[in-house]
Amino acid sequence: MIISKKSLPFLIPVAVGVIVGVAVLLIKPSTGKKLGDLIYSSGISTEGYSYAVNKAAPSVVNIYVATLKEDYTTPAPNSITSSASGVIMDKHGIIVTNYHVVPSGNEPNKAIFVQTRDGKVMKAFVVGCDRRTDIAVLTVSEDTTLTPITPAKNEPNIGDIALAIGNPNNLGQTVTHGIISAVSRSGSGLLSKDQMNIRQGVQALIQTDAPINQGNSGGALVDTRGNLIGINTASFSGDNTYGIGFAIPVKMVREVMDEILRHGKVERGYLGISDDETTALDSESGVRIGYVDPEGPAFGILKIGDLITKVDGYSVQNVRELIDLVSKSKPNTVMNFEIKREGKVKQEKVTLAEDNTSVD
């Protein structure tokens, strides 16, 4: 084969590129896999989601809560009391699920078991939990290497396709699909193990019409590239209700998980008030107090009927903004409140207590 001199300026860079590429693959083979995934995922057909499922499903586990025998070491026969789902976040066995899935602290005869997609069963332990976001972090008992899920880098948009992967009604791993119906839906966490307040709070939930049935709790909500966008947490149910499910955004999941892994819990301030659940029709903005916890730090300082207009100099338009300010503050923080009481503007200071991370 004869190569003309005119072709050399073009062939030399190509040859150098090939040599460099081969060298990179020899030194770091994982780069080839990432490149292959990128090339393959860029050509995904919009008619199917098998690529996304095959990528994400190995990172979704079945979770079982079982009653132990009298020796507290092994589960009793036919003793599974509940089933749910979880998502592998770290190859060393860190798994995220919902707080309402795990046994209460006053149930020492209950144990958690995790089953991977290939059928392996391992005992799991609670690292920590947070009822405000309905998140629990587990770790498995065995020294094993698991397949962690890939978090999405971008937040989902309304109308995006969403796939829910979990273990509904203990049928085994199941995939359902829908769209992102809304984002930043409020939710204040668990009122009890069986009841969540979706009206207000810290979650900023993703709403989807992908079916989220009992047992899907703690499972993955992924995009069409198989990247995690949220942890499934709840759904509205009723004779006239369909297609309203909620997931905790992956950004919040990772923030809460990291805090739990550092401290064993989420350190969050507690004010001890609730709003009166009304929305003013006039131009007056703020949060009208409807309840004050008699054991909370605001008792005796803030009163029912007070209108909170500013916190530490920041104007408060609604209860969501107030909750965000308080929940992002640490216990023992002194917060300054500007309130309107009986037509007069007053300044009050409250030292935050520590929020309870459980409802046990």
Side-chain angles (χ1 to χ4, degrees), residues 244-306:
I244 303 178
F246 299 95
I248 309 160
V250 65
K251 180 181 178 181
M252 176 164 287
V253 170
R254 297 181 73 180
E255 289 174 353
V256 172
M257 179 186 74
D258 290 344
E259 180 117 356
I260 287 174
L261 292 175
R262 283 195 300 267
H263 306 293
K265 61 181 179 180
V266 177
E267 296 181 338
R268 184 183 293 118
Y270 176 69
L271 180 60
I273 68 166
S274 296
D275 69 317
D276 63 1
E277 302 189 16
T278 62
T279 302
L281 297 178
D282 53 27
S283 59
E284 187 175 58
S285 62
V287 176
R288 183 79 62 182
I289 298 176
Y291 171 78
V292 181
D293 181 355
E295 298 183 1
F299 185 74
I301 302 174
L302 303 179
K303 298 180 179 180
I304 294 175
D306 287 352

Side-chain angles (χ1 to χ4, degrees), residues 40-51 161 163 177 224-225:
Y40 179 61
S41 64
S42 65
I44 297 173
S45 169
T46 58
E47 297 178 358
Y49 309 108
S50 59
Y51 170 82
I161 295 291
L163 309 174
H177 89 287
T224 54
R225 295 182 181 274

Side-chain angles (χ1 to χ4, degrees), residues 5-190:
K5 293 183 179 181
K6 293 182 179 180
S7 302
L8 287 176
F10 302 99
L11 294 177
I12 290 175
V14 173
V16 172
V18 170
I19 293 171
V20 171
V22 171
V24 169
L25 292 177
L26 290 173
I27 296 171
K28 194 172 183 181
S30 61
T31 303
K33 181 180 182 301
K34 292 179 180 178
L35 180 59
D37 285 345
L38 178 62
I39 294 172
Y40 179 61
S41 64
S42 65
I44 297 173
S45 169
T46 58
E47 297 178 358
Y49 309 108
S50 59
Y51 170 82
V53 174
N54 289 331
K55 178 181 177 182
S59 303
V60 181
V61 299
N62 298 343
I63 291 180
Y64 299 100
V65 177
T67 302
L68 296 174
K69 293 180 180 179
E70 294 182 358
D71 60 4
Y72 291 94
T73 58
T74 56
N78 303 316
S79 63
I80 294 176
T81 58
S82 63
S83 61
S85 310
V87 178
I88 300 168
M89 302 296 291
D90 178 87
K91 68 179 182 180
H92 300 298
I94 298 299
I95 295 171
V96 166
T97 186
N98 287 147
Y99 166 64
H100 74 262
V101 164
V102 302
S104 301
N106 56 9
E107 296 179 288
N109 64 328
K110 298 286 182 68
I112 305 169
F113 295 88
V114 168
Q115 183 182 39
T116 60
R117 194 190 192 198
D118 59 8
K120 186 176 183 179
V121 177
M122 296 170 284
K123 194 172 183 179
F125 299 90
V126 178
V127 179
C129 55
D130 179 44
R131 74 179 178 94
R132 289 291 183 186
T133 52
D134 194 24
I135 290 174
V137 178
L138 311 178
T139 183
V140 297
S141 57
E142 299 183 20
D143 183 12
T144 186
T145 300
L146 301 178
T147 304
I149 202 160
T150 302
K153 295 181 180 179
N154 300 318
E155 295 182 0
N157 296 309
I158 296 173
D160 286 352
I161 295 291
L163 309 174
I165 307 176
N167 179 29
N169 298 303
N170 199 23
L171 291 173
Q173 195 174 88
T174 302
V175 182
T176 58
H177 89 287
I179 64 168
I180 301 299
S181 306
V183 293
S184 298
R185 289 295 196 208
S186 296
S188 64
L190 293 179

